[in-house]
Amino acid sequence: MSTDPASQNLAKIEHIVVLMLENRSFDHMLGYLSLEGGRSDIEGPSAGVSNAAAGTDYPVAHLTSTHVPDPKWDPDHSSKATDLQIGDGKMDGFAESYRQTLIARQVANPDPGLVMGYYNATDLPVYDELAKEFCVCDHWHSSVPGATWPNRLYALAGRADGSRDDKSAPPIYGMHSFVRHLDAAEVRWRWYSYAFGTLRCADHEYLVEHRDRFAYVERTKLPLDAALADELLLDPDSASFLEDAARGRLAPVSWIDPLFKDFNLAHAVSNDDHPPSDVGAGQELALLVYNALAAGPLWEKTLLLVVYDEHGGFHDHVPPPAAPDDDVVNFGRYGVRVPAVVVSPWVARGSVGHELYDHTSIIKTILTRFAPAELEHRSGIQAVEHWLKPGHPHYMGKRVAEARHLGELLAEPAPRPAPTRDQLISWLTARHSDRATRLAQAPVSFHVEDTIFTDLQTNMLAAEKHLRDRGLPPGQP
């Protein structure tokens, strides 16, 4: 065991759970903590911060709706758009980038100021509670100033696939993920999702095999008479995250994918927070995961990380710093800050992690805790012998090697009991009641062909077809 105190702190936990959501910036989701919540210890935006677009200033302001009107309003977060938004560190191009996007999509009555907006405690009651009770990381940057998949690849493989933009559909990559190292070290892991695990897209080793390592988040039963696609028919015998957490059967490493698709089948809307998703649905998912852990037998041994893949085109005021990387030409700079909250009985109540983290910090934390030898950079015959282990692991690269892990945040001398969640449960009950009322007034529609999909959803549909065509059975995540 390392003599480093931060690494020793990791020995306090036996389970790491990662929930990675989509496309929101730190200022957009957690900036209210300083703007409205009096949290001077958190680096949020100052009142009056603005971006200009076509001669009009758009200041940061509270948003009046928890979702954007439709997918056409999804901000551009490609590499080109993100470069404009960052503006060589001035962080002044968000409104202009959005103005160009809305015009190009022929949106009626475009409002470039939407990307300057933020949500607050009323909109995000779960995050507000987690920020009070646990640790907010206010310098967690996405790994890449660009799109979804390059950032998710850094979280899984410590590098991207040569581009800061998503691959055209289907987004199937041949990267070497960190779970190969867990397999080599004989450390259990499990990937939970609502349709199929994103790991299958990233690493061909897990394209359709290792089915016992994949499970659903929850075993929701959908109406039998609904005209549902095969991928939504859940196997009643499969395990789920909720069951594994309740029964104390979680693996040392659990990864949770949200529901990415806004099909509105049986009103099962996406909860990934990718616009146009309602952030209230993302709050429900975060509460589902948090409550399962807090109410289960593994609470005192667990670390939950809630984090976002990238900023999604929404404003943040902190310039991304330079990043160490094996490819500094293309990936020598971090991306825009994203929300990140560390939930554990071992973190100080209402604390803030000010150090620089990015998605490779996830890999560094997991391997430092469960397979530290897998962080070694082997060469020669040692590298060949290592490759012959299960999963054929490869060295994770410079970004992982130099990343900070989360052990320094687990500094409490004893675990704290799980806080009461009565108010959050009341919020959830009221939300479900409102939803039931709306459903009674608006019957379910199944006209999927009329749905406008985001680029992410189109890519996910193509990825799922690719996986099913190659042998991943219906009902298997």
Side-chain angles (χ1 to χ4, degrees), residues 160-164 175 327 330-331:
D161 194 31
S163 173
R164 291 190 286 135
M175 309 301 289
D327 181 2
N330 294 307
F331 300 102

Side-chain angles (χ1 to χ4, degrees), residues 5 15 32 44 55 69 135 144 193 218 261 265 339 375 433 466 476:
H15 305 275
Y32 82 90
C135 179
V144 178
S193 62
E218 54 181 324
K261 293 181 280 191
L265 291 177
L375 290 167
S433 176
H466 181 89
Q476 172 67 47

Side-chain angles (χ1 to χ4, degrees), residues 306-389:
V306 181
V307 69
Y308 285 68
D309 65 335
E310 37 94 355
H311 73 299
F314 290 99
H315 173 262
D316 192 79
H317 77 285
V318 175
D325 204 274
D326 296 305
D327 181 2
V328 294
V329 174
N330 294 307
F331 300 102
R333 179 175 59 176
Y334 292 106
V336 178
R337 283 193 314 169
V338 293
V341 183
V342 176
V343 178
S344 175
W346 294 98
V347 300
R349 186 178 189 272
S351 56
V352 185
H354 295 300
E355 302 296 338
L356 174 64
Y357 300 102
D358 86 311
H359 299 335
T360 59
S361 294
I362 303 172
I363 300 174
K364 189 65 168 285
T365 301
I366 290 171
L367 294 186
T368 299
R369 171 58 184 91
F370 297 116
E374 293 297 312
L375 290 167
E376 296 177 10
H377 191 183
R378 299 169 175 85
S379 60
I381 188 63
Q382 287 186 331
V384 175
E385 292 173 346
H386 190 230
W387 180 83
L388 292 174
K389 290 185 176 182

Side-chain angles (χ1 to χ4, degrees), residues 26-27 29-45 118-121 124 127-132 136 341 352:
F26 185 92
D27 281 358
M29 296 292 276
L30 296 179
Y32 82 90
L33 290 169
S34 58
L35 277 173
E36 297 184 6
R39 291 290 299 271
S40 59
D41 56 333
I42 291 177
E43 187 171 350
Y118 66 86
Y119 294 116
N120 64 15
L124 307 173
Y127 287 173
D128 194 60
E129 182 70 11
L130 296 183
K132 291 175 183 175
V136 171
V341 183
V352 185

Side-chain angles (χ1 to χ4, degrees), residues 278-281 284 426-436 438:
D278 190 321
V279 295
E284 287 192 38
S426 296
W427 167 82
L428 182 62
T429 300
R431 183 174 168 85
H432 283 185
S433 176
D434 290 343
R435 181 182 300 135
R438 292 197 304 272

Side-chain angles (χ1 to χ4, degrees), residues 51 85 91-98 115 311 313-316:
N51 273 195
Q85 293 156 14
M91 311 305 283
D92 62 354
F94 291 87
E96 175 58 28
S97 171
Y98 197 40
V115 293
H311 73 299
F314 290 99
H315 173 262
D316 192 79

